[in-house]
Amino acid sequence: MSFQKSWSVARSLVSKKAFQRNILTTAVGIALSANAFAGFPTLYGKVYLTAGQYDLEKNDFSLTAPGATTYRHIGATGIATELDTFVLESTGSRLGVQGDFDANAEVQVFYRVEYGIDVDNGTNSNGRELSQRNIFAGIRGDWGSLLAGKNDTPLKTLQTNSVLRSDIDRFNDAPLADIGSYLVGENRPDNVIQYASPILLGGLEVNIAAIQAEETGVEVSPTNAQDDNGFASGQSVSVVYGKSKWFVGAAFDRNVVTSDVFRALGEVSLGPVKLAAIYQTAERHEDVDSLGGFSTFVGTNGTNLGAQNGLNPLSEWDGATGNAYKEQDGYVLNALWKIAGPWSARVQYGHSTSTPTNDSYSDVDADALAVGVDYNFNSATRVFGYYASLEAEGDAQISTKATTDSTFALGLDFRF
């Protein structure tokens, strides 16, 4: 055997032993780091885009004095245009990372880091590329789950049933049509500690959230006591029971975004049609508070002229410089019809009656209507079109004319 051949054999034996040692080392490493592999994060997201026409109205208030730059909040006798434009919007898009791993045989660790993204222009109204959504970590076992972080309240998620994977808010995320445009309670607070029960009795689920306001405990003024400084200064609780073709639920918020809210709902499936209803009543938590949690889901700006305080249609009917309401009652009725194949249709009517904190003014009535048609490519992808209108009318001292906001849009919604 030549020297070259002898050396080749020796080198082969050395390489084989080194390879075996590397396999053993790798196997031990994998065994020791099983948690790291089990908790490898999953990237997920949602793109929700709409392209449509807005026609929004506001009360035509006069100036407080000739040449002034401020406007009255009462005495309107007509309406003015607040927004008349065609827009491309991204109102519910998000990007997140989530995962879980076994801490031991009985306990599993889970986490989620989720941000809102603006697919239409890259930044939101604050000039940021990302906005915080649900961000938390927790543990779970046969006894349920416990998480801590920033998270939707049990009242907000009441309409999304864990058993049936159904969403009673038929126009969730849709500009002007989402129930958050006329009902309070759609909140995602900070500093949440939340327990969720396992599914009990074939369909029962209980969620309990303790929310920390983390105020200083040092009074600033008689109307700002800073006394929401203890454990669970705000609470949110929900109870849901669902079966294959129906579910019912109820939830209560106490001192969440200055509001106490009760919400009840139900859904039933009748062949290809789902019928649902939501009832809600809310009041401010203390006499110094105003109801919190009004939103718009309108992702574009209106004119700066006039006394309109934001794009929410209720925000100018209180006779004040903000959303100064102390009570609200409302309901939603809707239906989803799976027509045939990939086609489905949706219709939703909502109403709310809101009471201004100033007793000089009467209640404000909001009436919302939305109709839409969907084409579902699969369970994660659809294109849709919808029309929505929202009429608001309050005290004649504030305005003698009702305001009507409307939009017609085409959209794309897909998840990955």
Side-chain angles (χ1 to χ4, degrees):
M1 179 182 293
S2 67
F3 175 80
Q4 184 178 0
K5 290 184 178 179
S6 299
W7 171 246
S8 297
V9 172
R11 184 174 58 182
S12 177
L13 291 174
V14 171
S15 299
K16 183 176 181 181
K17 290 181 179 179
F19 179 71
Q20 291 173 338
R21 283 198 302 270
N22 288 338
I23 290 177
L24 179 60
T25 302
T26 302
V28 171
I30 291 174
L32 292 176
S33 60
N35 278 354
F37 280 90
F40 192 79
T42 299
L43 180 69
Y44 71 94
K46 175 178 177 177
V47 172
Y48 190 99
L49 282 169
T50 55
Q53 174 68 37
Y54 276 126
D55 294 293
L56 308 186
E57 298 176 343
K58 64 180 179 179
N59 292 325
D60 191 10
F61 293 113
S62 60
L63 293 169
T64 54
T69 58
T70 57
Y71 290 81
R72 299 179 184 274
H73 294 274
I74 59 173
T77 57
I79 57 175
T81 297
E82 183 182 15
L83 190 65
D84 181 7
T85 186
F86 187 90
V87 296
L88 176 66
E89 291 187 283
S90 172
T91 53
S93 302
R94 66 204 68 166
L95 183 66
V97 176
Q98 63 183 3
D100 54 45
F101 60 87
D102 295 330
N104 58 33
E106 288 79 30
V107 175
Q108 191 175 60
V109 176
F110 64 93
Y111 58 90
R112 176 179 296 175
V113 180
E114 183 178 286
Y115 288 92
I117 57 175
D118 286 84
V119 182
D120 56 334
N121 56 20
T123 59
N124 58 29
S125 58
N126 295 320
R128 299 174 180 175
E129 289 78 15
L130 301 174
S131 57
Q132 286 190 329
R133 289 178 58 88
N134 295 318
I135 300 178
F136 54 75
I139 57 175
R140 61 180 168 228
D142 294 340
W143 42 269
S145 65
L146 185 68
L147 66 82
K150 182 182 183 74
N151 196 37
D152 293 337
T153 62
L155 185 139
K156 181 182 178 182
T157 58
L158 181 68
Q159 57 262 31
T160 307
N161 182 262
S162 299
V163 178
L164 301 182
R165 302 297 179 187
S166 182
D167 194 344
I168 284 185
D169 186 358
R170 306 296 184 203
F171 291 85
N172 187 33
D173 291 334
L176 200 63
D178 189 288
I179 64 174
S181 297
Y182 50 91
L183 291 179
V184 300
E186 299 293 283
N187 298 311
R188 182 181 295 125
D190 301 331
N191 310 310
V192 176
I193 300 173
Q194 181 171 329
Y195 167 76
S197 75
I199 303 300
L200 305 169
L201 305 175
L204 176 67
E205 185 178 38
V206 179
N207 284 272
I208 303 171
I211 302 164
Q212 322 334 300
E214 298 185 358
E215 294 188 342
T216 64
V218 179
E219 182 176 319
V220 175
S221 69
T223 59
N224 186 9
Q226 288 287 302
D227 55 355
D228 288 338
N229 58 338
F231 173 73
S233 55
Q235 306 103 44
S236 183
V237 178
S238 70
V239 179
V240 180
Y241 192 86
K243 286 294 186 181
S244 62
K245 294 186 180 297
W246 59 269
F247 78 92
V248 294
F252 180 72
D253 278 1
R254 179 183 179 276
N255 195 23
V256 179
V257 192
T258 70
S259 303
D260 298 338
V261 183
F262 172 78
R263 179 178 292 182
L265 53 76
E267 179 188 76
V268 61
S269 296
L270 302 173
V273 177
K274 289 184 177 181
L275 302 176
I278 302 173
Y279 167 77
Q280 178 170 296
T281 183
E283 62 182 21
R284 59 185 180 180
H285 182 63
E286 295 180 347
D287 290 343
V288 297
D289 294 329
S290 294
L291 280 179
F294 288 98
S295 61
T296 65
F297 285 89
V298 176
T300 189
N301 297 320
T303 174
N304 293 324
L305 299 176
Q308 173 82 345
N309 301 289
L311 290 166
N312 186 279
L314 297 176
S315 61
E316 61 179 351
W317 284 98
D318 54 0
T321 58
N323 292 315
Y325 293 95
K326 61 183 178 181
E327 295 178 1
Q328 185 188 72
D329 294 315
Y331 63 87
V332 179
L333 303 173
N334 62 39
L336 172 66
W337 175 29
K338 295 183 179 180
I339 302 172
W343 293 96
S344 61
R346 297 172 288 158
V347 60
Q348 181 163 282
Y349 172 76
H351 174 86
S352 67
T353 299
S354 304
T355 303
T357 56
N358 188 334
D359 294 331
S360 300
Y361 306 115
S362 58
D363 294 344
V364 181
D365 290 319
D367 292 283
L369 175 66
V371 293
V373 176
D374 300 349
Y375 184 91
N376 301 278
F377 293 99
N378 52 52
S379 61
T381 306
R382 68 184 174 110
V383 292
F384 60 90
Y386 78 96
Y387 169 82
S389 69
L390 205 168
E391 181 185 85
E393 184 173 17
D395 199 298
Q397 296 178 80
I398 297 173
S399 178
T400 59
K401 298 287 187 180
T403 57
T404 302
D405 295 349
S406 63
T407 184
F408 174 76
L410 300 176
L412 169 67
D413 177 13
F414 71 86
R415 287 162 284 163
F416 58 89

